[in-house]
Coordinates of all heavy atoms in Angstrom, one line a residue:
T149 N 75.6 99.6 -48.7 CA 74.5 99.2 -47.8 C 75.1 99.3 -46.4 O 76.2 99.0 -46.1 CB 74.2 97.7 -48.0 OG1 73.8 97.6 -49.4 CG2 73.0 97.3 -47.2
V150 N 74.2 99.8 -45.5 CA 74.5 99.9 -44.0 C 73.6 99.0 -43.2 O 72.4 99.0 -43.4 CB 74.4 101.4 -43.6 CG1 74.6 101.5 -42.1 CG2 75.3 102.3 -44.3
Q151 N 74.2 98.1 -42.4 CA 73.5 97.3 -41.5 C 73.6 97.8 -40.1 O 74.7 98.1 -39.7 CB 74.0 95.8 -41.6 CG 73.9 95.2 -43.0 CD 72.5 95.0 -43.4 OE1 71.6 94.6 -42.7 NE2 72.2 95.4 -44.7
I152 N 72.5 97.9 -39.4 CA 72.6 98.4 -38.0 C 72.1 97.3 -37.1 O 71.0 96.7 -37.2 CB 71.7 99.6 -37.8 CG1 72.1 100.8 -38.7 CG2 71.7 100.1 -36.3 CD1 71.2 101.9 -38.8
I153 N 73.0 96.9 -36.2 CA 72.7 95.8 -35.3 C 72.9 96.3 -33.8 O 73.9 96.8 -33.5 CB 73.6 94.6 -35.5 CG1 73.4 94.0 -36.9 CG2 73.4 93.5 -34.4 CD1 74.4 92.9 -37.3
T154 N 71.8 96.2 -33.0 CA 71.9 96.4 -31.6 C 71.9 95.1 -30.9 O 71.0 94.3 -31.0 CB 70.7 97.3 -31.1 OG1 70.7 98.5 -31.8 CG2 70.8 97.6 -29.6
L155 N 73.0 94.9 -30.1 CA 73.1 93.7 -29.4 C 72.2 93.6 -28.2 O 72.1 94.6 -27.5 CB 74.6 93.5 -28.9 CG 75.7 93.4 -30.0 CD1 77.0 93.5 -29.3 CD2 75.5 92.1 -30.8
T156 N 71.5 92.5 -28.0 CA 70.7 92.4 -26.8 C 71.1 91.1 -26.0 O 70.5 90.7 -25.1 CB 69.2 92.3 -27.2 OG1 69.0 91.2 -28.1 CG2 68.7 93.6 -27.8
G157 N 72.1 90.4 -26.6 CA 72.7 89.3 -26.0 C 74.0 89.0 -26.7 O 74.3 89.6 -27.8
N158 N 74.8 88.0 -26.2 CA 76.0 87.6 -26.9 C 75.6 87.1 -28.3 O 74.5 86.4 -28.4 CB 76.8 86.6 -26.1 CG 77.3 87.2 -24.8 OD1 77.6 88.4 -24.8 ND2 77.4 86.4 -23.8
A159 N 76.3 87.3 -29.3 CA 75.9 87.0 -30.7 C 77.0 86.4 -31.5 O 78.2 86.6 -31.3 CB 75.4 88.3 -31.4
T160 N 76.6 85.5 -32.4 CA 77.4 85.0 -33.5 C 76.9 85.6 -34.8 O 75.7 85.5 -35.1 CB 77.4 83.5 -33.6 OG1 77.9 83.0 -32.4 CG2 78.3 83.0 -34.8
I161 N 77.8 86.3 -35.5 CA 77.4 87.0 -36.8 C 77.9 86.1 -37.9 O 79.1 85.9 -38.0 CB 77.9 88.4 -36.9 CG1 77.2 89.2 -35.7 CG2 77.6 89.0 -38.2 CD1 77.6 90.7 -35.6
T162 N 77.0 85.6 -38.7 CA 77.3 84.8 -39.8 C 77.1 85.6 -41.1 O 76.0 86.2 -41.3 CB 76.4 83.5 -39.9 OG1 76.6 82.8 -38.6 CG2 76.8 82.6 -41.1
M163 N 78.1 85.7 -41.9 CA 78.1 86.5 -43.1 C 77.3 85.8 -44.2 O 77.2 84.6 -44.2 CB 79.5 86.7 -43.6 CG 80.4 87.3 -42.6 SD 79.9 89.0 -42.0 CE 80.4 90.0 -43.4
P164 N 76.7 86.7 -45.1 CA 76.0 86.1 -46.2 C 77.0 85.4 -47.2 O 78.2 85.5 -47.1 CB 75.3 87.3 -46.9 CG 76.2 88.5 -46.4 CD 76.7 88.1 -45.1
T165 N 76.4 84.7 -48.2 CA 77.2 84.1 -49.2 C 78.1 85.2 -49.8 O 77.6 86.2 -50.2 CB 76.4 83.4 -50.2 OG1 75.6 82.4 -49.6 CG2 77.2 82.8 -51.3
A166 N 79.4 84.9 -50.0 CA 80.4 85.8 -50.5 C 80.1 86.0 -52.1 O 80.1 85.0 -52.8 CB 81.8 85.4 -50.3
V167 N 79.9 87.2 -52.5 CA 79.7 87.5 -53.9 C 80.8 88.6 -54.3 O 80.8 89.6 -53.6 CB 78.3 88.0 -54.2 CG1 78.2 88.4 -55.7 CG2 77.3 87.0 -53.8
A168 N 81.5 88.3 -55.3 CA 82.6 89.2 -55.7 C 82.1 90.6 -55.9 O 81.1 90.9 -56.5 CB 83.3 88.7 -57.0
G169 N 82.8 91.6 -55.3 CA 82.5 93.0 -55.4 C 81.5 93.5 -54.4 O 81.2 94.8 -54.5
K170 N 80.9 92.7 -53.6 CA 79.9 93.2 -52.7 C 80.6 93.7 -51.4 O 81.7 93.3 -51.0 CB 79.0 92.1 -52.2 CG 78.1 91.5 -53.3 CD 77.1 92.6 -53.8 CE 76.2 92.1 -54.9 NZ 75.3 93.1 -55.4
S171 N 80.0 94.7 -50.8 CA 80.6 95.3 -49.6 C 79.4 95.9 -48.8 O 78.4 96.2 -49.3 CB 81.6 96.4 -49.9 OG 81.0 97.4 -50.6
F172 N 79.7 96.1 -47.5 CA 78.7 96.8 -46.7 C 79.4 97.3 -45.4 O 80.5 96.9 -45.0 CB 77.5 95.9 -46.3 CG 77.8 94.7 -45.5 CD1 77.6 94.8 -44.1 CD2 78.2 93.5 -46.0 CE1 77.8 93.7 -43.3 CE2 78.4 92.4 -45.3 CZ 78.2 92.5 -43.9
I173 N 78.7 98.2 -44.7 CA 79.2 98.8 -43.5 C 78.2 98.3 -42.4 O 77.0 98.2 -42.6 CB 79.0 100.3 -43.5 CG1 79.9 100.9 -44.6 CG2 79.3 101.0 -42.1 CD1 81.4 100.9 -44.3
M174 N 78.8 98.0 -41.2 CA 78.0 97.5 -40.1 C 78.1 98.4 -38.9 O 79.3 98.7 -38.5 CB 78.3 96.1 -39.7 CG 77.6 95.6 -38.5 SD 78.1 93.9 -37.9 CE 77.6 92.9 -39.3
L175 N 77.1 99.0 -38.4 CA 77.1 99.7 -37.2 C 76.6 98.7 -36.1 O 75.5 98.3 -36.1 CB 76.1 100.9 -37.2 CG 76.2 101.9 -38.4 CD1 75.2 102.9 -38.4 CD2 77.7 102.4 -38.5
L176 N 77.5 98.4 -35.2 CA 77.3 97.4 -34.1 C 77.2 98.1 -32.8 O 78.2 98.7 -32.3 CB 78.4 96.4 -34.1 CG 78.3 95.2 -33.2 CD1 77.0 94.4 -33.6 CD2 79.5 94.4 -33.2
K177 N 76.0 98.1 -32.2 CA 75.7 98.9 -31.0 C 75.5 97.9 -29.8 O 74.8 96.9 -29.9 CB 74.5 99.7 -31.1 CG 74.5 100.7 -32.3 CD 73.2 101.5 -32.4 CE 73.2 102.5 -33.5 NZ 72.0 103.3 -33.6
Q178 N 76.0 98.4 -28.6 CA 75.7 97.7 -27.4 C 74.3 98.2 -26.9 O 74.0 99.4 -27.1 CB 76.8 98.0 -26.3 CG 78.1 97.4 -26.5 CD 78.1 95.9 -26.1 OE1 77.2 95.4 -25.5 NE2 79.2 95.2 -26.5
D179 N 73.6 97.4 -26.2 CA 72.4 97.8 -25.6 C 72.7 98.7 -24.4 O 73.8 99.0 -24.1 CB 71.4 96.7 -25.3 CG 71.9 95.7 -24.2 OD1 73.0 96.1 -23.6 OD2 71.3 94.7 -24.0
G180 N 71.7 99.0 -23.6 CA 71.8 99.9 -22.4 C 72.6 99.2 -21.3 O 73.0 99.9 -20.4
T181 N 72.8 97.9 -21.4 CA 73.5 97.2 -20.4 C 74.9 97.0 -20.7 O 75.8 97.2 -19.9 CB 72.8 95.7 -20.1 OG1 71.4 95.9 -19.8 CG2 73.5 95.0 -19.1
G182 N 75.2 96.7 -22.0 CA 76.6 96.5 -22.4 C 77.2 95.2 -22.0 O 76.5 94.3 -21.6
S183 N 78.5 95.1 -22.2 CA 79.3 93.9 -21.9 C 78.9 92.7 -22.7 O 79.2 91.5 -22.4 CB 79.3 93.5 -20.4 OG 79.8 94.6 -19.7
L184 N 78.3 92.9 -23.9 CA 77.9 91.8 -24.8 C 79.1 91.5 -25.8 O 79.8 92.4 -26.2 CB 76.6 92.1 -25.5 CG 75.4 92.3 -24.5 CD1 74.2 92.9 -25.3 CD2 75.1 91.1 -23.8
T185 N 79.2 90.2 -26.2 CA 80.3 89.8 -27.0 C 79.8 89.4 -28.4 O 78.6 89.1 -28.6 CB 81.1 88.7 -26.4 OG1 80.3 87.6 -26.3 CG2 81.7 89.1 -25.1
V186 N 80.7 89.4 -29.4 CA 80.4 89.0 -30.7 C 81.4 87.9 -31.2 O 82.6 88.1 -31.0 CB 80.4 90.1 -31.7 CG1 80.3 89.7 -33.1 CG2 79.2 91.1 -31.4
T187 N 80.9 86.8 -31.8 CA 81.8 85.9 -32.5 C 81.5 86.1 -34.0 O 80.3 86.1 -34.4 CB 81.5 84.4 -32.0 OG1 81.7 84.3 -30.6 CG2 82.3 83.4 -32.8
W188 N 82.6 86.2 -34.7 CA 82.4 86.5 -36.2 C 82.6 85.1 -36.9 O 83.6 84.5 -36.7 CB 83.4 87.5 -36.7 CG 83.4 88.8 -36.0 CD1 84.1 89.2 -34.9 CD2 82.5 89.9 -36.3 NE1 83.8 90.5 -34.5 CE2 82.8 90.9 -35.4 CE3 81.6 90.1 -37.3 CZ2 82.2 92.1 -35.4 CZ3 81.0 91.3 -37.3 CH2 81.2 92.3 -36.4
S189 N 81.6 84.8 -37.8 CA 81.7 83.6 -38.5 C 82.1 83.9 -40.0 O 81.5 84.8 -40.5 CB 80.4 82.8 -38.5 OG 80.4 81.7 -39.3
T190 N 83.0 83.3 -40.5 CA 83.4 83.4 -41.9 C 83.9 84.8 -42.3 O 83.6 85.3 -43.4 CB 82.4 82.9 -42.9 OG1 81.2 83.7 -42.8 CG2 82.0 81.4 -42.6
V191 N 84.6 85.5 -41.4 CA 85.3 86.8 -41.7 C 86.8 86.6 -41.6 O 87.3 86.1 -40.7 CB 84.8 87.9 -40.8 CG1 85.5 89.2 -41.1 CG2 83.3 88.1 -40.9
T192 N 87.5 87.1 -42.6 CA 89.0 87.2 -42.5 C 89.4 88.6 -42.0 O 89.0 89.6 -42.7 CB 89.6 86.9 -43.9 OG1 89.2 85.6 -44.3 CG2 91.1 86.9 -43.8
W193 N 90.1 88.7 -40.9 CA 90.5 89.9 -40.3 C 92.0 90.1 -40.5 O 92.8 89.2 -40.7 CB 90.2 90.0 -38.8 CG 88.7 89.9 -38.5 CD1 88.0 88.8 -38.2 CD2 87.8 91.0 -38.6 NE1 86.7 89.1 -38.0 CE2 86.5 90.5 -38.2 CE3 87.9 92.4 -38.8 CZ2 85.4 91.3 -38.2 CZ3 86.8 93.2 -38.7 CH2 85.5 92.6 -38.4
P194 N 92.5 91.4 -40.5 CA 93.9 91.6 -40.6 C 94.7 90.9 -39.5 O 94.2 90.8 -38.4 CB 94.0 93.1 -40.4 CG 92.7 93.7 -40.8 CD 91.7 92.7 -40.4
S195 N 95.8 90.3 -39.9 CA 96.6 89.5 -39.0 C 95.9 88.3 -38.4 O 96.3 87.7 -37.4 CB 97.2 90.4 -37.9 OG 97.9 91.4 -38.4
G196 N 94.7 88.0 -39.0 CA 93.9 86.8 -38.5 C 93.3 87.0 -37.1 O 92.9 86.0 -36.5
T197 N 93.2 88.2 -36.7 CA 92.7 88.5 -35.3 C 91.4 89.4 -35.4 O 91.5 90.5 -35.8 CB 93.7 89.1 -34.4 OG1 94.9 88.3 -34.4 CG2 93.2 89.3 -33.0
A198 N 90.3 88.8 -35.0 CA 89.1 89.6 -34.9 C 89.2 90.7 -33.9 O 89.8 90.5 -32.9 CB 87.9 88.7 -34.6
P199 N 88.5 91.8 -34.1 CA 88.6 92.9 -33.1 C 87.8 92.6 -31.9 O 86.9 91.8 -31.9 CB 88.0 94.1 -33.9 CG 87.1 93.5 -34.9 CD 87.7 92.2 -35.3
T200 N 88.2 93.2 -30.8 CA 87.4 93.1 -29.6 C 86.3 94.2 -29.6 O 86.7 95.4 -29.8 CB 88.3 93.3 -28.3 OG1 89.3 92.3 -28.3 CG2 87.5 93.3 -27.1
V201 N 85.1 93.8 -29.6 CA 84.0 94.8 -29.6 C 83.9 95.7 -28.4 O 84.2 95.1 -27.3 CB 82.6 94.0 -29.8 CG1 81.5 94.9 -29.7 CG2 82.6 93.2 -31.1
T202 N 83.7 96.9 -28.5 CA 83.6 97.8 -27.4 C 82.4 97.3 -26.5 O 81.4 97.0 -27.0 CB 83.2 99.3 -27.9 OG1 84.3 99.7 -28.7 CG2 83.0 100.2 -26.7
S203 N 82.7 97.2 -25.2 CA 81.7 96.6 -24.3 C 80.9 97.6 -23.5 O 80.0 97.2 -22.8 CB 82.4 95.6 -23.3 OG 83.3 96.3 -22.5
T204 N 81.2 98.9 -23.6 CA 80.5 99.9 -22.8 C 79.1 100.1 -23.3 O 78.8 100.1 -24.5 CB 81.3 101.3 -23.0 OG1 82.6 101.1 -22.7 CG2 80.7 102.4 -22.1
A205 N 78.2 100.1 -22.3 CA 76.8 100.3 -22.6 C 76.5 101.4 -23.6 O 77.1 102.5 -23.4 CB 76.0 100.5 -21.3
S206 N 75.6 101.3 -24.5 CA 75.1 102.3 -25.5 C 76.2 102.8 -26.4 O 76.0 103.8 -27.1 CB 74.5 103.4 -24.7 OG 73.4 102.9 -23.9
K207 N 77.4 102.2 -26.5 CA 78.5 102.6 -27.4 C 78.4 101.8 -28.7 O 77.7 100.7 -28.8 CB 79.8 102.4 -26.8 CG 80.1 103.4 -25.7 CD 80.2 104.8 -26.2 CE 80.6 105.8 -25.2 NZ 80.8 107.1 -25.7
M208 N 79.0 102.3 -29.8 CA 78.9 101.7 -31.1 C 80.3 101.6 -31.8 O 81.1 102.4 -31.6 CB 78.0 102.6 -32.0 CG 77.9 102.1 -33.4 SD 76.8 103.2 -34.4 CE 77.8 104.6 -34.5
D209 N 80.4 100.5 -32.5 CA 81.6 100.2 -33.3 C 81.2 100.2 -34.8 O 80.0 99.8 -35.1 CB 82.3 98.9 -33.0 CG 82.9 98.9 -31.6 OD1 83.0 100.0 -31.0 OD2 83.1 97.8 -31.1
I210 N 82.0 100.6 -35.7 CA 81.7 100.6 -37.1 C 82.8 99.7 -37.8 O 84.0 99.9 -37.6 CB 81.8 102.0 -37.7 CG1 80.8 102.9 -37.0 CG2 81.4 102.0 -39.2 CD1 80.8 104.4 -37.4
Y211 N 82.2 98.8 -38.6 CA 83.1 97.8 -39.4 C 82.7 97.9 -40.8 O 81.5 98.2 -41.2 CB 82.8 96.4 -38.8 CG 83.2 96.2 -37.4 CD1 82.2 96.3 -36.4 CD2 84.5 96.1 -37.0 CE1 82.5 96.1 -35.1 CE2 84.8 96.0 -35.6 CZ 83.8 96.0 -34.7 OH 84.1 95.9 -33.3
S212 N 83.6 97.6 -41.7 CA 83.4 97.5 -43.1 C 83.8 96.1 -43.6 O 84.8 95.6 -43.2 CB 84.2 98.6 -43.8 OG 83.9 98.6 -45.2
F213 N 83.0 95.6 -44.5 CA 83.3 94.2 -45.1 C 83.3 94.3 -46.6 O 82.5 95.0 -47.2 CB 82.2 93.3 -44.6 CG 82.1 93.2 -43.1 CD1 81.3 94.0 -42.3 CD2 83.0 92.3 -42.4 CE1 81.2 93.9 -41.0 CE2 82.9 92.2 -41.0 CZ 82.1 93.0 -40.3
F214 N 84.2 93.5 -47.2 CA 84.4 93.4 -48.6 C 84.5 92.0 -49.0 O 85.1 91.2 -48.3 CB 85.6 94.1 -49.1 CG 85.8 95.6 -48.6 CD1 86.3 95.8 -47.3 CD2 85.3 96.6 -49.3 CE1 86.4 97.1 -46.9 CE2 85.4 97.9 -48.8 CZ 86.0 98.1 -47.6
S215 N 83.9 91.6 -50.2 CA 84.0 90.2 -50.6 C 84.7 90.1 -52.0 O 84.5 90.9 -52.9 CB 82.6 89.6 -50.8 OG 82.6 88.3 -51.3
D216 N 85.5 89.0 -52.1 CA 86.2 88.7 -53.4 C 85.5 87.6 -54.1 O 86.0 87.1 -55.1 CB 87.7 88.4 -53.2 CG 87.9 87.1 -52.3 OD1 86.9 86.5 -52.0 OD2 89.1 86.8 -52.1
G217 N 84.3 87.2 -53.6 CA 83.6 86.1 -54.2 C 83.9 84.7 -53.4 O 83.1 83.8 -53.6
T218 N 84.9 84.7 -52.6 CA 85.2 83.5 -51.9 C 85.2 83.8 -50.4 O 84.7 83.0 -49.6 CB 86.6 83.0 -52.2 OG1 86.6 82.7 -53.6 CG2 87.0 81.7 -51.5
N219 N 85.8 85.0 -50.0 CA 85.9 85.3 -48.6 C 85.3 86.7 -48.3 O 85.2 87.5 -49.3 CB 87.4 85.4 -48.2 CG 88.1 84.1 -48.4 OD1 87.8 83.1 -47.7 ND2 89.1 84.0 -49.3
W220 N 85.0 86.9 -47.1 CA 84.6 88.3 -46.6 C 85.8 88.7 -45.8 O 86.4 88.0 -44.9 CB 83.4 88.2 -45.7 CG 82.1 88.1 -46.4 CD1 81.4 87.0 -46.6 CD2 81.5 89.2 -47.1 NE1 80.2 87.4 -47.4 CE2 80.3 88.7 -47.6 CE3 81.8 90.6 -47.2 CZ2 79.4 89.5 -48.3 CZ3 80.9 91.4 -47.9 CH2 79.7 90.8 -48.5
Y221 N 86.3 90.0 -46.1 CA 87.3 90.6 -45.4 C 86.8 91.8 -44.5 O 86.0 92.6 -45.0 CB 88.4 91.2 -46.4 CG 88.9 90.1 -47.2 CD1 88.4 89.8 -48.5 CD2 90.0 89.3 -46.7 CE1 88.9 88.7 -49.2 CE2 90.6 88.3 -47.5 CZ 90.0 88.0 -48.7 OH 90.5 87.0 -49.5
G222 N 87.1 91.8 -43.3 CA 86.6 92.8 -42.4 C 87.7 93.8 -41.9 O 88.8 93.4 -41.7
V223 N 87.3 95.0 -41.7 CA 88.2 96.1 -41.2 C 87.4 96.9 -40.2 O 86.2 97.1 -40.4 CB 88.7 97.0 -42.3 CG1 90.1 96.8 -42.6 CG2 87.9 97.1 -43.5
T224 N 88.1 97.3 -39.2 CA 87.5 98.2 -38.2 C 87.6 99.6 -38.6 O 88.7 100.1 -38.9 CB 88.2 98.0 -36.8 OG1 88.1 96.7 -36.4 CG2 87.6 98.9 -35.7
V225 N 86.5 100.3 -38.8 CA 86.5 101.7 -39.2 C 86.7 102.6 -38.0 O 87.5 103.5 -38.1 CB 85.2 102.0 -39.9 CG1 85.1 103.5 -40.3 CG2 85.0 101.2 -41.2
G226 N 86.0 102.3 -36.9 CA 86.2 103.0 -35.7 C 85.5 102.3 -34.6 O 84.5 101.6 -34.8
Q227 N 85.9 102.6 -33.3 CA 85.2 102.0 -32.2 C 84.9 103.1 -31.1 O 85.5 104.2 -31.1 CB 86.1 100.9 -31.6 CG 86.3 99.8 -32.5 CD 87.0 98.6 -31.9 OE1 88.2 98.7 -31.6 NE2 86.4 97.5 -31.7
N228 N 84.0 102.7 -30.2 CA 83.7 103.5 -29.1 C 83.0 104.8 -29.4 O 83.3 105.8 -28.7 CB 84.9 103.6 -28.2 CG 84.6 103.9 -26.7 OD1 83.5 103.5 -26.2 ND2 85.4 104.6 -26.0
Y229 N 82.1 104.8 -30.3 CA 81.4 106.0 -30.7 C 80.2 106.2 -29.7 O 79.6 105.2 -29.3 CB 80.7 105.9 -32.1 CG 81.7 106.1 -33.2 CD1 82.4 105.0 -33.8 CD2 82.1 107.4 -33.6 CE1 83.3 105.2 -34.8 CE2 83.0 107.6 -34.7 CZ 83.6 106.4 -35.3 OH 84.5 106.6 -36.3

């Protein structure tokens, strides 16, 4: 599944209920103004540090999420597209 989100303001992204074996890709886009931020709720990131979202107007980051049934694990696929 691919989710496409265009930021129009600073956002908090809350993950769905964790179900073992579920995964999805998120395309996260800045609007034409840019400089918008994201707070990630209930995501476990490598080294415990969430990525900094690209702030440039009209740019996009790609993230992948996987669930073990208890947690969502996030990885940055690429940034600044």
Side-chain angles (χ1 to χ4, degrees):
T149 305
V150 176
Q151 301 294 318
I152 301 170
I153 298 174
T154 300
L155 298 172
T156 57
N158 295 329
T160 297
I161 296 177
T162 302
M163 302 301 280
T165 301
V167 176
K170 296 294 182 181
S171 64
F172 66 97
I173 300 287
M174 178 185 292
L175 306 180
L176 184 64
K177 301 178 180 183
Q178 287 282 349
D179 66 8
T181 304
S183 297
L184 300 171
T185 62
V186 170
T187 301
W188 302 95
S189 177
T190 64
V191 177
T192 301
W193 295 96
S195 300
T197 304
T200 300
V201 175
T202 299
S203 62
T204 307
S206 303
K207 290 292 185 174
M208 177 180 70
D209 295 341
I210 302 174
Y211 302 99
S212 185
F213 299 94
F214 308 88
S215 174
D216 64 2
T218 303
N219 299 297
W220 280 102
Y221 299 95
V223 254
T224 302
V225 175
Q227 292 186 294
N228 204 28
Y229 285 95

